[in-house]
Amino acid sequence: MNLAHHLLDLYDAQLRRAARPDGPGCHVERSGAVVRQTGPAHAWNGVLWSGLDERTADAAIAAQLDHYRARGVPFEWKLYGHDGPADLGARLVAAGFEAEEPETLLAAEAAAQAGAAALPDGVELREVTDAEGVRQVVEVHERAFGTDSSDLGRRLLDRLAADPGTVPAVLAVADGVPVSAARLELYPGTDFAGLWGGGTVEGWRGRGLYRALVAHRARVAAAHGHRYVQVDAAPTSRPILQRLGFVPLSTTTPYLHA
């Protein structure tokens, strides 16, 4: 078995089939051949794993629609390229889901990514430990991605209040102004930590901030005993990560249902 297949099997086993809740008020359960998370409206609600075939897929989709409708929350079916059946995406669209852009699941050894990365003059990294830091992360994300990140802010505040240190976020600050931000999800008891939300405001891109945020989070992950870091990479960040040594494992496409 090559490295990519080994890592994908490990990822599926630890972070999908044996997933744990990712925030206060959330719970993960297995319903037939589906593993899903349910939580408050501002939390991430959705399907983490499924083991379906042509005979069982439509009934499983209908069951998830019933489950989340009863709770009055929108949800996501996180579909991976190696999930079955082969037409599951088309079945989801037929059931009223909307597909977003696919991303690439990549992973790398945390220790190999944890080397020092140079920062531009006048820029420093600050870990987020309070509400003001969360506000700055939200501000950077909204400037970098052009999307409403208020739910992200609520999730970060929930986690900081319930279990400080489990979702380290880091800011790159230039002369007192936050210009880049990223998060790290630590998954206790697993080999993995997740790199999320690396975003840099226009005018500061291409100056090494993304690489510095990857290295910082990899160091934190390794210090907490996680062997690997994984990323759901957009097309813009995939080539950067592959140049750093990240290995593609699969694709992942969010299918959203309002």
Side-chain angles (χ1 to χ4, degrees), residues 35-86:
V35 175
R36 66 193 179 204
Q37 174 169 289
T38 308
H42 66 274
W44 186 88
N45 286 275
V47 173
L48 293 154
W49 174 85
S50 64
L52 305 173
D53 58 28
E54 291 83 355
R55 297 175 298 102
T56 59
D58 290 337
I61 292 169
Q64 306 322 305
L65 289 169
D66 289 344
H67 172 80
Y68 288 105
R69 280 173 179 155
R71 285 148 185 82
V73 294
F75 74 104
E76 172 184 331
W77 192 300
K78 194 170 174 63
L79 179 63
Y80 289 78
H82 59 289
D83 290 344

Side-chain angles (χ1 to χ4, degrees), residues 135-156:
R135 185 195 67 76
Q136 292 177 329
V137 170
V138 170
E139 175 189 317
V140 169
H141 275 65
E142 291 184 340
R143 290 172 62 196
F145 301 122
T147 57
D148 181 355
S149 297
S150 55
D151 281 352
L152 166 64
R154 292 183 65 185
R155 291 196 296 270
L156 287 175

Side-chain angles (χ1 to χ4, degrees), residues 20-28 37-45 154-164 166-167 185:
R20 300 180 184 183
D22 69 0
C26 298
H27 67 276
V28 173
Q37 174 169 289
T38 308
H42 66 274
W44 186 88
N45 286 275
R154 292 183 65 185
R155 291 196 296 270
L156 287 175
L157 289 173
D158 285 351
R159 294 294 293 269
L160 282 174
D163 199 359
T166 59
V167 189
E185 291 275 359

Side-chain angles (χ1 to χ4, degrees), residues 120-205:
D121 290 343
V123 177
E124 63 176 343
L125 299 185
R126 294 181 186 171
E127 292 195 347
V128 172
T129 59
D130 56 20
E132 174 58 17
V134 169
R135 185 195 67 76
Q136 292 177 329
V137 170
V138 170
E139 175 189 317
V140 169
H141 275 65
E142 291 184 340
R143 290 172 62 196
F145 301 122
T147 57
D148 181 355
S149 297
S150 55
D151 281 352
L152 166 64
R154 292 183 65 185
R155 291 196 296 270
L156 287 175
L157 289 173
D158 285 351
R159 294 294 293 269
L160 282 174
D163 199 359
T166 59
V167 189
V170 60
L171 290 158
V173 180
D175 298 321
V177 178
V179 295
S180 189
R183 310 189 313 279
L184 172 66
E185 291 275 359
L186 300 174
Y187 305 116
T190 78
D191 291 294
F192 292 91
L195 307 185
W196 298 96
T200 302
V201 303
E202 193 171 354
W204 282 93
R205 295 168 187 164

